[in-house]
Every structure is written in C-alpha cells, then in structure tokens.
Amino acid sequence: MMQNVHLAPETDEDDLYSGYNDYNPTYDTEELENDTAFQQAVRTNHGRRPPDGVTRPMTAVRAAGFTKAALRGSAFDPLGQSRGPAPPLEAKNEDSPEEKIRQLEKKVNELVEESCIANTCGDLKLALEKAKDAGRKERVLVRQREQVTTPENINLDLTYSVLFNLASQYSANEMYAEALNTYQVIVKNKMFINAGRLKVNMGNIYLKQRNYSKAIKFYRMALDQIPSVHKEMRIKIMQNIGVTFIKTGQYSDAINSFEHIMSMAPNLKAGFNLILSYFAVGDREKMKKAFQKLIAVPLEIDEDDKYISPSDDPHTNLVIEAIKNDHLRQMERERKAMAEKYIMTAAKLIAPVIETSFAVGYDWCVEVVKASQYVELANDLEINKAITYLRQKDFNQENDFAQASSYADLAVNSDRYNPSALTNKGNTVFANGDYEKAAEFYKEALRNDSSCTEALYNIGLTYKKLNRLDEALDCFLKLHAILRNSAQVLYQIANVYELMEDPNQAIEWLMQLISVVPTDSRALSKLGELYDSEGDKSQAFQYYYESYRYFPSNIEVIEWLGAYYIDTQFCEKAIQYFERAALIQPTQVKWQLMVASCFRRSGNYQKALDTYKDIHRKFPENVECLRFLVRLCTDIGLKEVQEYATKLKRLEKMKEIKEQRIKSGRDGPGGSRGKREGSAGSDSGQNCSANSKGEQLSAKLRALPGTNEPYESSSHKEIDASYVDPLGPQVERPKTAAKKRLEEDDFADEELGDDLLPE
C-alpha cells in the first residue's frame, strides 16, 4: 500500500527551478530541415505507414471523430464535408408495378372527389358518370394489387368509399334498383366494418318506392346493428320508423316510436308527428299532452339580448355587429321559425277537436302558448283565430261574427296603429253590413300606412256596396298604380265601369285582365257577353269559344255557342254543344230535346226519331217528346204512331186534371190564396234582387218546349218552329243579357271575386 506513496525529498537545498531549461530534442523544430526521415515522410506517403512497434489505440477519442484512419494520414473531418455533395436521388421507375398502382389509386381518389363535387353543384348525371368511372378503375386497381402483393394489402377503405359513393349517386338519380344492389355488395362484405348502418339508406330508398314494409324491416335491422352509445343516430332511425308507420296508417305503432323519442331526446319534428298521430286516432287528451310536450322542447338558442350592445365600447359593438347575422345566427333564426311553424300548425289542427267548439279549443291553445317560451306567438294565434272566423263560410249566426269582432278588437287595442289589425276590424264590420263604419276603419288603416293595399282594396269594395262608384273607381285606379298586374284589381275596375254603363271601358280593362290571366274562362265569357250586348257577334263568338276551350263545363257558354250555330244555320255543329250539356245535366230533358231538334233541322230524320225514342225511354211522361214522336211517325208512316198517340192523350188528360185541381185550389177559401198573394207581394222586391245563380238562367233554357215550340229563346223567336220546314225561320240569337251578376259580386272565379282581403 505504501509503495504507491511518494514522499517529498528530504533535502530542501535543491533548486526549485532546476531543469527548467532542459527539453527533449524531439521538439526542436529548428533541426527539422536537417531531419532526413522527417523530410521523406513529408514528400511521400511513407508517414502514413505505422512505425515499427505497437501503437496505442485511440478508443477514448473515437466519439469525437478520431479513428484509425486519422493515423493513416486522413484529415480530421468529423462532419464528412470532404466527401462533397450528396449524390442525386435515384430516378423513379414509372414502369414498375408499384408505381402504376400508386398512380391508379390517386386517380380513383380524384374521381370520387369530382363525383361528390358534381353532386353538390347539382349535376347529378356527371356525378354518376364520375362514380361509375371510379368504380371501373378501382376494380382494375384491385386486380393489379393482387398480382403484386397479397390480398391482405388491398386498400379496403378506398373500395368502401368508391362503392358507397356509387350507391349514393344511383339513389340521387332515382336509379333505386342499382342503388340497392350496390348497397347489398357493401353490406354483405364482412370485411367492411360498421357497414350494417348503411341499411338505413336502403330503408330510405324503399320508403321512396312506397315499399313501407321493407323500409321498416331495414330500419329495424340498422337499429339492431347500431350500439346504444350512438344515441343520436338511433333516435333518427326511430323517427324514420315512426314516419313510415304513419304512411301505412299504423298510428299506434307510430305513437310508440314518437313517445319513446320524446322521452329520450325530445325534438320538434317528433313532437309534431306525435300530435298528428294522436289526431289520426282521435285521442283528445293525448293531443293536449303532446301539444304541451311540443312547446316544452328546448330551442337551445341564444337570447336576442345577446346581440344588443350593453355599452358604447367600439370594440364590443364591432364584435356584436359581426355576429349579429353570421351563419350561426341564421341557423338560430331558422330553428326558431321552424318551431313557430310547427306550433302554429299544430294549434290550428287540434283546436277544433280537443274541445266542444273551435273557439274553446283555440282558447286552450292560446293559454298554453302564453305560459311557454313562445309567448310572442299568442298574439299571432289570436289574430289567426279572428281571420278564421271571417273565412268560415258556415258561420251564419250573429254571435260567430261578434266573437270574430271581439278578437279583432283585442288586436286593435293591443296596437291601435297597426294597419293589419284595423283592416281586419273593418272586415268584421263589413261582414255585419255596416259599410260606412267599415270604410272608417279602412281609412284609419290607410292613414297609419298609406301602402296598405288590403285596406285600399277593401274600401273600394265598400264604396261599391254603397253605390259610390266614382269613389270606388278612384280607389281601384290608385291600387292599379301600385299593383300593375293584379288580376283582382283589373277585374274590379272593369266591373265598376260596367256598373257605370260604360261597356267600352269595361271591355278595355277586361282585355288587360286576360293579358295577365289568359286562361281565365270567366273573364273570357264576360268579354263575350259584353261584345254580344254591343252587337258584335263575331267577337262575342271568339271569346265565348275561348272560354269553352279552357272550361268546357260552363252551361251558359255552351248554351250561347249552341244557339249561335243554330242562328247561323249550322245545326250539325250545335249538336256537340247540346250533347255536352246533356252530359253535364243528364236529368234536364231540354238538352236532349235540343239534340233531337238539331238532327231534325239538319234533315237527319232517322237520327232525330231514334233520339226522341231514347228520350221517351228516359222521360216517359214528357209531353213534348211524345208530340214530336207522333208527328214524325205520322209523316214517315210508322205503325208506332197509334201507340205514341194513346200515351200522349193520356198524359194530356192527366195534365188537364192536375191544372183543374190547382185552379180549384186557388179559387177556394180566400185565406190561403190571399196569404199567398200577400206574401208574394211583400217578397217580390227581394226576390228580384236575390235570385240564386241557378234561377238566373235565361228563359230559353228554363222553359220546357211547347206544343209547336220545342225550344223558345228569350227573344221569343222560334228556333225549332215546325217539322214541315226543317230549316225554320232564321232567328235572332237569344241574348244572354246582363243578369247583373257583377252587382251581386258572384263572379265565379275565386281569384277575381269580391272577397275581402284579410291582413
């Protein structure tokens, strides 16, 4: 142990600096020029060879870049900079199978993307072509990959995306059979994970094909294969199942589906469909509960106060302005509008059936809405109820109009300056016949809003009722300046001019009307009537014929056209019109008598005889038909003349007895007769102005043919005078004179009537 200890020398007399000038001659650089070995090593690679003897290994400094190569004369270059730049990359071999596969796979992906983009742009045909092309190239890719690598290396994700896109494009192009086949390929392949959920898409296709049983089957199969953690998807599938049950009329099953949804994850669509299902089965109480569930569905949107700046901070105001109408805010508005639509529709649907009357049911809905987050909808429901009362044609009792008026008063009291509320209030007063007061409400609505076209239109109708035609015309002309192409306004202007006995102006405005609605049969027939009253038969025929072409079931138009052809001695052409009239009114014998008369006038006696016989079989007690049968059989010399003559005498005798009974009844005790005469006298004024539309038919169609006059026109000229003269005298066409239909505001086209316009 002590052998390693070195003691200091005992003598201190030695010089501490001794040997300082001693040095190894090896380090003497001044003599290197004379050192032969050194000079030879410098000039040659002799110095690279290790000297004789064993050299010491340099393992301790190897990590710093020192290696044996350094001892052999190589320069110290730990970063390898002496090797120069890296060699260029090896060029790709485009002909190699691996490179071909990569390029083909890239092309397939591009085609799938292009197909999806085309579908988004609405070019469904191009999208399908791209999808098919991707499918073809993907199959080539699979075959090439199988030749190069093992089947385990096939890109299943690419195959799945290609097939799924192809099926989607087939479905978008309504090629449902091809889409189902493609989906089946995906679903049956066990290598595709979670492919079973695509059965939802297959169910949707069956639903579009109205194959409801298969749609439900596939929805349920998809539901079984989706785990419970995917709650949202399961709810959507159950909603599809419920909708399909509604379409099949299985309302109980639909109710079960929607009830489950409303208990697990309530939403607006499921709540509304649940109400529809309960409405279909007529369960009043369940309808109420479902309506309460519907309005309790949370909207999950921000309050409007969020978009109101609480301070004058410019940065805050800028942020609020930016988010006030962004996409998220638009989505919130759409969601709220959808909720309000569902609630309003549901209230209108169930209100008439959940209580003993429509009013009570509507009141219940209003109270429920007031207590919900949709309190602002309560006023809309109130106004809607008032409008409904006005539009209900069967509400004839005064208390119904009074109730509508009370709701209109409620709307006016809530906002006295609201032109819509004032207009609706005026409508209720108008319906009660107080036209002066109605005009005041319409005027007030116009003072609050001069652009309220409904009020201006309704005040024009009010002036018409008051026979203040100049003021009515002024209102409609002002309205025409605002609504240039309104068919209702154009009709009203023409109507007023006709009431003012200015047919030329009426015709001019009706011409503008048919330029807006060229297929309106009533406007065309009215033009024909005006031209006929002016004596222009050719123009009248043109517009009556156009009216018949668009609406070949108007008896008055058919009557005019038939009479026109008889007037112009074209009885053959008149036959088709009277035959159509007989089809429309098969119980009216006069049309069939006119057909037979036209055959007889045109010289086709056999056809006329057959027609009269057919009429006699249908109407055996018609005296006029028997008279013509007797006359025709006598002239032709047929044996049936005696049979028809006997029947005619019997019917004439019965008719004579009936007339005598009526006459004796009138000549009996004066009380009955006097009462009838008195009532007739008291009601005569009303009957002249209040005849129904059917009673206003012209006399030529209401009167049955007489003995020698089977058809008599309103001008009292014979159309079918006698059998001896088949052509008969030329007659003036029976005028369909103005029946003052427009005075009674019964223009038959709903779009052009005198209905009030609710706001």
Side-chain angles (χ1 to χ4, degrees), residues 96-111:
S96 65
E98 291 80 2
E99 183 62 26
K100 288 182 178 179
I101 289 173
R102 282 194 295 269
Q103 292 298 326
L104 188 56
E105 186 172 305
K106 181 180 178 182
K107 181 62 177 176
V108 171
N109 279 308
E110 290 176 353
L111 286 171

Side-chain angles (χ1 to χ4, degrees), residues 500-628:
M500 296 172 70
E501 298 182 356
D502 189 347
N504 293 328
Q505 283 291 332
I507 290 173
E508 180 180 341
W509 285 97
L510 282 174
M511 293 293 289
Q512 294 187 42
L513 173 61
I514 64 172
S515 68
V516 176
V517 281
T519 60
D520 191 301
S521 62
R522 289 291 181 176
L524 291 167
S525 65
K526 188 63 189 175
L527 265 174
E529 180 181 331
L530 290 173
Y531 274 118
D532 185 34
S533 65
E534 292 295 300
D536 192 342
K537 298 293 191 299
S538 61
Q539 286 286 359
F541 171 76
Q542 176 185 346
Y543 289 109
Y544 271 122
Y545 182 78
E546 285 295 306
S547 174
Y548 172 80
R549 192 163 65 89
Y550 289 117
F551 184 59
S553 300
N554 189 326
I555 288 294
E556 295 181 2
V557 173
I558 293 173
E559 165 203 355
W560 192 95
L561 289 171
Y564 174 81
Y565 280 118
I566 291 177
D567 184 23
T568 55
Q569 304 298 321
F570 292 103
C571 299
E572 298 88 348
K573 292 185 177 181
I575 292 173
Q576 61 173 321
Y577 296 101
F578 293 123
E579 285 179 342
R580 177 168 289 276
L583 289 175
I584 298 171
Q585 296 180 344
T587 59
Q588 297 291 325
V589 66
K590 50 193 167 188
W591 303 120
Q592 300 180 45
L593 288 173
M594 282 305 305
V595 172
S597 176
C598 289
F599 280 126
R600 189 163 57 86
R601 288 172 61 86
S602 61
N604 194 343
Y605 305 128
Q606 185 60 46
K607 190 67 175 176
L609 180 62
D610 294 339
T611 305
Y612 280 124
K613 288 181 178 180
D614 185 60
I615 296 172
H616 178 63
R617 283 193 298 271
K618 295 177 182 178
F619 304 94
E621 296 184 358
N622 186 270
V623 176
E624 286 72 19
C625 179
L626 282 172
R627 287 173 181 164
F628 281 104

Side-chain angles (χ1 to χ4, degrees), residues 74-133:
S74 62
F76 176 72
D77 188 13
L79 300 179
Q81 297 178 357
S82 61
R83 293 196 298 266
L89 297 175
E90 183 180 355
K92 291 183 179 180
N93 186 4
E94 296 183 357
D95 295 332
S96 65
E98 291 80 2
E99 183 62 26
K100 288 182 178 179
I101 289 173
R102 282 194 295 269
Q103 292 298 326
L104 188 56
E105 186 172 305
K106 181 180 178 182
K107 181 62 177 176
V108 171
N109 279 308
E110 290 176 353
L111 286 171
V112 172
E113 291 178 4
E114 292 173 1
S115 175
C116 295
I117 293 172
N119 181 283
T120 305
C121 296
D123 194 345
L124 302 180
K125 186 176 180 181
L126 178 61
L128 180 58
E129 290 299 325
K130 295 287 185 181
K132 288 181 178 179
D133 195 11

Side-chain angles (χ1 to χ4, degrees), residues 409-506:
D409 288 335
L410 181 64
V412 172
N413 293 334
S414 64
D415 186 358
R416 182 68 187 181
Y417 300 99
N418 189 329
S420 301
L422 291 167
T423 301
N424 288 333
K425 177 58 182 174
N427 291 347
T428 61
V429 178
F430 186 99
N432 288 325
D434 192 347
Y435 304 124
E436 293 285 356
K437 191 173 181 180
E440 293 301 321
F441 280 107
Y442 297 141
K443 289 178 182 178
E444 186 175 355
L446 287 171
R447 284 194 294 269
N448 293 332
D449 183 4
S450 60
S451 63
C452 184
T453 55
E454 292 82 3
L456 186 58
Y457 182 87
N458 290 351
I459 198 173
L461 296 182
T462 306
Y463 286 143
K464 275 179 58 179
K465 289 291 186 181
L466 295 172
N467 202 29
R468 293 155 62 175
L469 299 181
D470 291 332
E471 294 175 80
L473 182 61
D474 183 58
C475 290
F476 291 127
L477 289 174
K478 288 180 181 177
L479 196 57
H480 176 65
I482 302 172
L483 307 174
R484 302 295 299 179
N485 294 322
S486 172
Q488 290 176 311
V489 175
L490 291 170
Y491 160 70
Q492 293 297 343
I493 295 174
N495 181 16
V496 172
Y497 274 121
E498 185 183 11
L499 295 176
M500 296 172 70
E501 298 182 356
D502 189 347
N504 293 328
Q505 283 291 332

Side-chain angles (χ1 to χ4, degrees), residues 58-73:
M58 299 179 64
T59 56
V61 292
R62 186 172 297 168
F66 295 97
T67 61
K68 292 182 179 180
L71 299 176
R72 297 172 184 168

Side-chain angles (χ1 to χ4, degrees), residues 32 66 140 170 267 298 312 381 393 427 525 570 709 721 732:
L32 288 180
F66 295 97
V140 174
Y170 275 134
N267 62 77
D312 295 333
L381 285 172
K393 303 288 186 179
N427 291 347
S525 65
F570 292 103
E709 302 168 334
E732 180 180 349

